[in-house]
């Protein structure tokens, strides 16, 4: 069972919430369908196929929303620093241009989302990005580990070598630093205690 594989993961509540929303949208759409209506199973199958098509083949544009661009939708993904092409979508057309030198016969890659990390690409597009440079770690935080301003829960923490602000880590560090202040703890001790609390 797919749900059992996600048990304990931060993905499970998101998947359940998205599934419930998805189901309610599909049923509301089916209610408006003219007669003769398809069966719920037929409709759900068509809805899922259409949604997968839009999620995996469409491009977001500033003015048109999501659009499907034949041919361009076959270009594969590479992370922002591994792509060799870029695509620009405008109301009146699109352009695919080289972002690096491309040898004859070399595959063309664009980046589907410059801000997406390894997990984002898997959730949105259904594959693991072997070129991903941005990774996140999932941690579970108990409510009493940080101040009352943070209720606890599941957070994604970026890798330390990536320059990204992380309010959870900042709060955890400040909380531990305040707790250890009477002992005049070193920065290494504060970091060590903060990491143990994760």
């Amino acid at each position: 069972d797919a749900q059992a594989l996600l048990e304990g993961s931060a993905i499970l509540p998101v998947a359940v919430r998205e599934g419930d929303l998805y189901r309610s949208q599909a049923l509301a759409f089916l209610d408006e369908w003219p007669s003769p209506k398809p069966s719920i199973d037929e409709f759900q199958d068509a809805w899922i196929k259409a949604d997968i098509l839009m999620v995996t083949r469409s491009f977001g544009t500033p003015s048109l929303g999501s659009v499907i661009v034949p041919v361009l939708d076959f270009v594969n993904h590479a992370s922002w620093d591994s792509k060799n092409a870029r695509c620009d979508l405008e109301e009146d057309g699109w352009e695919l241009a080289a972002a690096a030198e491309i040898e004859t016969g070399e595959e063309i890659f664009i980046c589907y989302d410059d801000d997406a990390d390894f997990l984002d690409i898997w959730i949105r597009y259904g594959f693991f990005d072997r070129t991903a440079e941005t990774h996140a770690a999932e941690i579970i935080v108990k409510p009493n580990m940080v101040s009352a301003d943070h209720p606890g829960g599941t957070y994604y923490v970026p890798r330390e070598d990536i320059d990204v602000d992380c309010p959870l880590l900042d709060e955890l560090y400040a909380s531990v630093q305040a707790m250890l202040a009477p002992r005049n703890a070193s920065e290494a001790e504060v970091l060590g205690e903060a990491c143990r609390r994760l």
Side-chain angles (χ1 to χ4, degrees), residues 17 42 49 66 87 109 111 125 130 153-154 188 196:
R17 186 176 62 244
E42 291 170 328
K49 287 176 181 173
S66 293
C87 105
F109 293 99
C111 182
Y125 302 104
R130 296 182 191 277
T154 303
R196 278 189 287 282

Side-chain angles (χ1 to χ4, degrees), residues 108-186:
I108 296 172
F109 293 99
I110 59 174
C111 182
Y112 293 168
D113 183 344
D114 287 345
D115 297 322
D117 71 6
F118 186 84
L119 185 60
D120 291 330
I121 294 296
W122 179 72
I123 290 170
R124 286 190 232 157
Y125 302 104
F127 66 89
F128 293 108
D129 179 9
R130 296 182 191 277
T131 66
E133 291 295 321
T134 305
H135 298 274
E138 177 183 305
I139 60 171
I140 308 296
V141 179
K142 295 176 185 164
N144 61 352
M145 289 174 55
V146 292
S147 75
D149 295 339
H150 290 278
T154 303
Y155 294 85
Y156 290 97
V157 180
R159 286 188 344 204
E160 186 179 331
D161 60 331
I162 298 171
D163 186 24
V164 178
D165 288 335
C166 180
L168 173 65
L169 287 181
D170 293 344
E171 175 64 30
L172 183 58
Y173 183 85
S175 176
V176 170
Q177 191 175 38
M179 181 185 77
L180 297 180
R183 288 190 2 210
N184 291 325
S186 69

Side-chain angles (χ1 to χ4, degrees), residues 10-194:
I11 298 172
L12 180 59
V14 173
V16 169
R17 186 176 62 244
E18 291 291 319
D20 291 344
L21 176 63
Y22 188 80
R23 209 170 359 274
S24 68
Q25 288 174 338
L27 293 175
F29 192 78
L30 182 58
D31 284 343
E32 301 296 320
W33 197 274
S35 292
K37 291 185 183 200
S39 72
I40 289 178
D41 289 341
E42 291 170 328
F43 182 77
Q44 186 173 359
D45 185 53
W47 181 274
I48 289 170
K49 287 176 181 173
D51 188 61
I52 289 171
L53 176 72
M54 286 303 294
V55 167
T56 61
R57 292 279 184 225
S58 67
F59 294 87
T61 66
S63 58
L64 299 174
S66 293
V67 296
I68 293 179
V69 183
V71 179
L72 186 59
D73 65 339
F74 289 114
V75 178
N76 283 324
H77 165 83
S79 64
W80 63 271
D81 60 338
S82 299
K83 68 182 179 184
N84 58 12
R86 64 175 173 71
C87 105
D88 295 317
L89 296 160
E90 304 293 335
E91 278 191 49
D92 58 345
W94 58 274
E95 175 185 66
L96 180 64
E101 188 171 321
I102 302 172
E103 300 292 326
T104 302
E106 183 181 354
E107 184 172 359
I108 296 172
F109 293 99
I110 59 174
C111 182
Y112 293 168
D113 183 344
D114 287 345
D115 297 322
D117 71 6
F118 186 84
L119 185 60
D120 291 330
I121 294 296
W122 179 72
I123 290 170
R124 286 190 232 157
Y125 302 104
F127 66 89
F128 293 108
D129 179 9
R130 296 182 191 277
T131 66
E133 291 295 321
T134 305
H135 298 274
E138 177 183 305
I139 60 171
I140 308 296
V141 179
K142 295 176 185 164
N144 61 352
M145 289 174 55
V146 292
S147 75
D149 295 339
H150 290 278
T154 303
Y155 294 85
Y156 290 97
V157 180
R159 286 188 344 204
E160 186 179 331
D161 60 331
I162 298 171
D163 186 24
V164 178
D165 288 335
C166 180
L168 173 65
L169 287 181
D170 293 344
E171 175 64 30
L172 183 58
Y173 183 85
S175 176
V176 170
Q177 191 175 38
M179 181 185 77
L180 297 180
R183 288 190 2 210
N184 291 325
S186 69
E187 184 175 348
E189 290 175 297
V190 173
L191 282 173
E193 180 60 27

